[in-house]
Amino acid sequence: MTDMSEISNIRAAAKPALPPGLVLWPAGTAPSNRLCVLISDIHCTDCTVGNQTASETDWQLFFEQMEFSVGNPGDKAQPTSSHRVDELMLILNGDIVDLIRSSKWAQAGVYPWQRDDPRFGEIVLDIMRDIVRIHAHKRPKDSNQPYSGFFYWMRKSLTILRQSGVRVTIIPIVGNHDKELQVVPNARQMFYEECLGLTALDISDSYRRWVAAQLGTSPDELYPSLPFYVADIGMRLLATHGQWRDADNSRATSGWRPGKGWTPDVWRKENYRSFSDPCFGDTVAAGMLSHFIWCTEQRIDPSLPGASRVCNLLDEMDLYRPSVAAVVRLLSESRRLARRDPRAKGMHAHILQCFRESLVGWLGQKATWDSAMGTTKLGLYVLWLLTKPKWYWLDISLMRLMAKVQEPESNISDKDLLGLPAFGDDYRELGLRLHVEGHTHVALEADVQFQSLPDGRNNYTYVNLGAWRDAILRKRSRGFRRRGIGRALFVFDLARLPASEDSYRFYARDMICWSDRLDSW
């Protein structure tokens, strides 16, 4: 007769071993209906070099629709509904705040990668204060200042759901534009408290232990560092920002280099330094773009004809996809103004001069060369040689080139798709079927199939959440139009449904918003 200890050993042996370094989201003990909502790349900035996040109305409508998706757990008419959602998990999948796109770096004469500068921490805090003011508070009456209210409407919605009995968890995954939160604890505290609405007492011990086990940090952190991924078996989900696949936005260390792939065990040993240290694409190159926008706006005489129009174009540079369109439009508009009015000729020259100064200053920084990969360094050397002669046509070509090389990934190759961790043998044996990321700002989806595992499931899906932002696109005839775009992924794990019913489902909600007010900016 088999004793209980033998049965326990048999059951333990039947469970697949966790892949090296993987830390799962702590599962609850009782079966419950769960909804996971994922959004990415909101990029709430301090609006000093443009504002790219969506409008307040869009956020208000989105969170109201999220409430509708959860349902009304407090409805007395259906107290035992098996479809009622008991738990909401809201995953903010990286780059929710953007601490790089700010003029405060250029104004202070400090680049975002100069973390040893004694002013670094205060600059980050100053940027966060403005982010809180613009994105986390209710719009002041009769205010003409930039405002989105993303965090305000998020907190308002989540409060309503908590009051109706839904268990709510917010998970802010770290991206490559908000990783300064990992190194400035005071800014991270401000993010938790003012943006997410969570005090230290609101953060559960299980969440602290989960983050600490994943990152190799202390579980005693009052405001934990932002996690790098979420792996949830019930949701069949692995969500991460995606910068680990981008050689320009990750950093080689003694134990890992870009291209080596998904290795959380190695990253944990090094406290995820590959994604918290300054990198070429986010901190260095984005710092150069912010400096160019700030420098140009400072030098343009506001009394010149068309000056306000050019400054608006500078603020909108992040809204163009592909971004080379922003450079082309900026040059064509300033040249057209110069031909129309001789007083505006100096403005076109100022734009080219500021670009050259920003580029030369950027190439003169040691961090630019240290953070670039081998092939990128070769391109930088060519750029450096081309900055020597001062030819008008060359300056324009350099601007076009710099815009072009920063274009995001427009698709995912079969090789990269099959190499995603959620689709590896050991991850699939755990029950993971869905890999979600953002980072590229391009919404994508792809389905793949592997040999079926014993559970009979052989459907595997990749979803890129894109970016939630305003965008400027060319009309079919002539001119441009501003549109709001966004994608959210809803994943349902309805564990309280009978086994015979379809208890697992996910869908992407793509939103495109037009309004007259958008075009009035």
Side-chain angles (χ1 to χ4, degrees), residues 196 205 276 398 428:
L196 304 186
D205 291 339
S276 59
L398 285 175
R428 288 189 291 119

Side-chain angles (χ1 to χ4, degrees), residues 43-45 47-54 134-135 146-148 315-316 319 470 482 521:
H43 286 276
C44 293
T45 68
C47 298
T48 56
V49 286
N51 176 27
Q52 58 179 321
T53 190
I134 296 168
H135 305 281
Y147 179 79
S148 81
D315 286 343
E316 293 173 344
L319 305 185
D470 284 347
R482 185 188 286 248
W521 289 359

Side-chain angles (χ1 to χ4, degrees), residues 116-258:
D116 292 335
D117 191 289
R119 295 167 293 175
F120 176 86
E122 186 51 44
I123 294 172
V124 172
L125 283 171
D126 198 18
I127 295 171
M128 273 301 305
R129 291 186 191 102
D130 279 347
I131 289 174
V132 167
R133 175 179 55 82
I134 296 168
H135 305 281
H137 289 167
K138 188 175 182 179
R139 176 187 285 275
K141 291 182 179 180
D142 302 323
S143 172
N144 294 320
Q145 298 299 313
Y147 179 79
S148 81
F150 167 74
F151 293 111
Y152 170 78
W153 290 109
M154 181 194 77
R155 295 197 313 269
K156 185 178 178 66
S157 236
L158 297 182
T159 298
I160 292 172
L161 292 174
R162 288 188 179 105
Q163 290 172 347
S164 64
V166 177
R167 297 189 302 275
V168 175
T169 302
I170 310 173
I171 304 179
I173 291 177
V174 66
N176 54 303
H177 280 257
D178 51 18
K179 62 187 179 184
E180 283 68 29
L181 294 176
Q182 308 290 64
V183 296
V184 184
N186 290 342
R188 189 165 67 244
Q189 177 177 348
M190 193 182 302
F191 175 71
Y192 270 104
E193 291 182 347
E194 302 290 341
C195 296
L196 304 186
L198 299 174
T199 67
L201 295 176
D202 297 321
I203 302 172
S204 67
D205 291 339
S206 61
Y207 178 87
R208 295 177 189 278
R209 290 191 297 268
W210 172 72
V211 171
Q214 180 186 132
L215 301 184
T217 53
S218 169
D220 297 326
E221 277 188 318
L222 200 60
Y223 291 89
S225 299
L226 275 57
F228 192 75
Y229 64 86
V230 177
D232 189 304
I233 292 178
M235 294 290 180
R236 309 179 194 174
L237 165 74
L238 178 68
T240 188
H241 183 61
Q243 72 275 43
W244 64 277
R245 295 197 299 111
D246 184 351
D248 284 336
N249 288 288
S250 51
R251 195 74 182 262
T253 63
S254 58
W256 184 85
R257 66 182 185 280

Side-chain angles (χ1 to χ4, degrees), residues 324-345:
V324 68
V327 176
V328 172
R329 188 179 182 190
L330 182 65
L331 291 172
S332 62
E333 289 267 350
S334 61
R335 184 183 297 170
R336 180 179 58 81
L337 289 168
R339 288 173 177 173
R340 181 181 298 175
D341 193 322
R343 293 176 299 165
K345 287 184 177 179

